[in-house]
Amino acid sequence: MRVKIHSEGTSILILFLVALLIINVPLWIFVRGYLWIPILVTVASVVFYMLVVNFFRSPRRHFDGNQTNAVVASADGKVVALEEVYEPEYLKCRCIQLSVFMSPTNVHANWFPVNGEVIYAKHHPGRFMAAYLPKSSVENERSTVVIRTPEGQLVLMRQVAGAMARRIVTYAEPGTEASVEDHMGFIKFGSRVDLYLPLSTSIYVSIGEPTVGGMTQVGLLNPEKKKEL
């Protein structure tokens, strides 16, 4: 089966391949009498390269459920936070925070969590603490996007850099049409995605549960109970 590589990874994969060839080829040419050395280094190089390829996979995803009011996971990973919090940047009200942590072995493309229109997008510089820590949501480098659904509810999505992540890519801009089947952005090497949902949202996942970006329904918005923001 052909593996599609995300555009964010093309140049990195080429650079890694060149670097690994520079390391491995001289070993096979010049190391004599210690064949185990080039073999060991080559095996380690192949394993490392395949992990990077896995990281930059860009699988096609299709949400099979009813998209009306559905909240869909924005990332592959594991639910690490699910609690009521105050969101101070844009919503300025109490919300349900649902966070998914992505390990380096997960696909790191990010999907829009709901259908609608992007009305706010802002990048914030910050620290690079471990992404699973609660305070990483407000202290780490991050990018915030707010989407207004067709029913008028606001959903905030935040990409958070981690200890290994050094670049957040956000495609969403104000006026962009959001679809749960489209990529919203990409985070390079270990990170998390936070969703801030209305308190009336019905939640379908729990702490520790795995998610598949663009496919796992994590909640359902209830517009008839919405609070004007």
Side-chain angles (χ1 to χ4, degrees):
M1 183 177 65
R2 183 180 178 184
V3 177
K4 183 179 179 182
I5 301 300
H6 200 282
S7 59
E8 298 295 337
T10 304
S11 59
I12 291 177
L13 288 172
I14 292 174
L15 289 174
F16 274 141
L17 179 60
V18 172
L20 292 175
L21 287 174
I22 291 174
I23 293 171
N24 282 268
V25 171
L27 289 177
W28 284 100
I29 295 175
F30 298 112
V31 174
R32 306 292 183 182
Y34 299 94
L35 189 59
W36 64 271
I37 294 178
I39 291 176
L40 181 62
V41 173
T42 298
V43 170
S45 298
V46 171
V47 171
F48 171 76
Y49 193 74
M50 293 310 297
L51 287 173
V52 178
V53 169
N54 178 74
F55 178 91
F56 283 110
R57 283 183 298 126
S58 183
R60 291 187 177 183
R61 301 276 171 83
H62 174 68
F63 179 64
D64 293 326
N66 183 350
Q67 295 188 16
T68 303
N69 297 320
V71 182
V72 182
S74 290
D76 290 10
K78 182 173 68 173
V79 178
V80 294
L82 185 57
E83 59 185 332
E84 182 179 327
V85 299
Y86 180 81
E87 198 296 302
E89 179 180 348
Y90 186 92
L91 301 178
K92 302 186 187 303
C93 67
R94 298 198 67 78
C95 310
I96 298 173
Q97 179 184 341
L98 193 161
S99 301
V100 172
F101 174 73
M102 295 171 279
S103 75
T105 60
N106 289 127
V107 171
H108 272 52
N110 301 147
W111 283 259
F112 285 105
V114 292
N115 294 334
E117 179 186 1
V118 176
I119 60 172
Y120 175 84
K122 186 173 182 179
H123 179 82
H124 303 271
R127 303 170 64 186
F128 295 96
M129 298 183 294
Y132 57 81
L133 295 174
K135 61 183 179 180
S136 66
S137 295
V138 294
E139 294 189 18
N140 277 20
E141 180 154 343
R142 59 203 180 278
S143 184
T144 301
V145 170
V146 179
I147 304 158
R148 181 189 289 120
T149 70
E151 290 75 23
Q153 291 194 297
L154 302 184
V155 172
L156 186 147
M157 173 181 173
R158 181 169 291 134
Q159 298 169 287
V160 183
M164 295 176 62
R166 297 291 160 167
R167 187 184 177 201
I168 294 176
V169 181
T170 305
Y171 307 135
E173 297 179 352
T176 301
E177 181 180 352
S179 168
V180 295
E181 295 188 350
D182 291 341
H183 285 172
M184 170 270 193
F186 196 96
I187 312 179
K188 297 185 178 181
F189 299 111
S191 42
R192 69 187 267 175
V193 170
D194 298 334
L195 299 182
Y196 292 85
L197 309 167
L199 293 178
S200 60
T201 305
S202 299
I203 301 299
Y204 292 170
V205 292
S206 56
I207 295 289
E209 190 169 336
T211 62
V212 179
M215 295 184 69
T216 302
Q217 183 169 356
V218 297
L220 181 70
L221 300 174
N222 293 292
E224 67 278 5
K225 300 179 181 179
K226 74 176 182 178
K227 177 182 177 182
E228 294 297 332
L229 298 173

